Amino acid sequence: MSSKRSSLFIILLLSVSSSIFSQDKIGHFSVGFQSGVLMPFGDNKGIASEQMGISNGLTFKYLPSEHFAMGLSLRIMNNHFQGQSTATNVPITQVPFPFDFDWYPTDWRLKPYVGIGAGLSFFTVTPVSGLANTLKEIPDTYTTPAYLATGRAGLKYQLSDRFSVHGETTYYMVAEPGEAFLWQQNDGTIYKQFSKKASFTVGLFYHFKE
C-alpha cells in the first residue's frame, strides 16, 4: 500500500513539474487585452487632485526567444480631477503608447518577467463649465503630448499553445510638461496632472503559432 502511495505521489509530482516547467514556443507574435486599475502617485486628496481610475489596453508582442519579448502597448486610462462636487469633476483620458522590452528569466510555464518601455503619452482633459487652460482658451477638449518611460513586473501563465494569462504592474513616469498641464477653474482652482502613476492589470493573450 505504501509503495502504491509513493508511486502516485511521484506521478503527481512529475505532472505538476511538467506543467510548471513546460517551455513556451518561440519565434512568434502575440496580442493581448489587459484591464485593471490606475493609481496616480501624489497628493490625491482634496480639491483639484487627480484620482484613481481604470486602465484598459492592447499589447502586441514578438517573442524572438523564450527569454525575451518586444512590442507596442496602447493603453486608454480614464480618471478625473476631483471638483467641488461630483458635477464639477473634470474627466481625464490618458493614452500612453510605449515601445516595450520584456525579459523572462525562466522557461517555466508559469513565468515571472520584468520590462521597460519608452514612448509618448497623450493627456486629454474634457472641460466642465468655466475651465480654461492657463495658456489659452480651449474648445471641447484639449490634448497635450509628453514623453514617457515605463517599468513593469508581472507573471505569465501559459494556458495552452494559443493562450496565456498575464498579471502585471506597470509604473509610468511622464516627462514634466510644465504649464501645458496646468488648468484653472474660473474660481481660481488649479488642476495639474501627476507625473508618476501605476496600473495593476490582468490580461489574456493569444499567440500566433504555426
Side-chain angles (χ1 to χ4, degrees):
M1 191 69 176
S2 175
S3 177
K4 287 184 178 181
R5 287 180 178 177
S6 298
S7 298
L8 286 173
F9 176 76
I10 292 173
I11 291 172
L12 179 61
L13 182 62
L14 290 173
S15 177
V16 171
S17 299
S18 176
S19 175
I20 294 177
F21 293 93
S22 177
Q23 295 184 6
D24 186 19
K25 292 183 179 179
I26 61 176
H28 69 274
F29 291 93
S30 69
V31 60
F33 175 77
Q34 294 170 281
S35 183
V37 297
L38 170 67
M39 179 180 294
F41 291 127
D43 184 11
N44 57 359
K45 297 180 180 180
I47 304 303
S49 58
E50 187 178 345
Q51 301 298 301
M52 291 181 62
I54 60 173
S55 174
N56 296 305
L58 290 174
T59 299
F60 304 89
K61 292 184 179 184
Y62 175 68
L63 293 84
S65 78
E66 61 191 18
H67 293 294
F68 294 97
M70 63 185 73
L72 290 171
S73 297
L74 177 62
R75 299 280 185 269
I76 299 178
M77 305 190 299
N78 298 103
N79 62 334
H80 65 272
F81 289 126
Q82 182 174 327
Q84 298 286 348
S85 65
T86 302
T88 58
N89 285 344
V90 180
I92 307 167
T93 299
Q94 302 173 70
V95 183
F97 189 65
F99 188 83
D100 302 320
F101 294 90
D102 294 334
W103 176 57
Y104 302 86
T106 73
D107 58 0
W108 306 342
R109 182 180 291 274
L110 178 62
K111 293 184 176 184
Y113 65 92
V114 293
I116 57 173
L120 294 175
S121 181
F122 298 90
F123 180 84
T124 300
V125 170
T126 303
V128 294
S129 177
L131 181 68
N133 184 262
T134 53
L135 301 182
K136 63 180 180 179
E137 294 296 325
I138 55 176
D140 294 337
T141 60
Y142 186 78
T143 300
T144 303
Y147 295 110
L148 172 75
T150 66
R152 70 186 156 280
L155 280 174
K156 168 188 174 182
Y157 182 74
Q158 198 71 35
L159 296 172
S160 67
D161 283 348
R162 296 292 182 182
F163 292 98
S164 63
V165 174
H166 295 223
E168 184 174 286
T169 299
T170 305
Y171 182 67
Y172 298 90
M173 295 160 283
V174 182
E176 182 58 53
E179 292 184 335
F181 278 15
L182 290 177
W183 307 85
Q184 185 170 357
Q185 198 76 17
N186 55 6
D187 63 2
T189 303
I190 298 294
Y191 301 84
K192 191 175 187 300
Q193 181 202 17
F194 295 148
S195 60
K196 299 179 178 66
K197 56 201 68 187
S199 65
F200 305 90
T201 60
V202 175
L204 179 65
F205 280 72
Y206 179 81
H207 298 261
F208 298 90
K209 300 180 179 181
E210 296 181 357

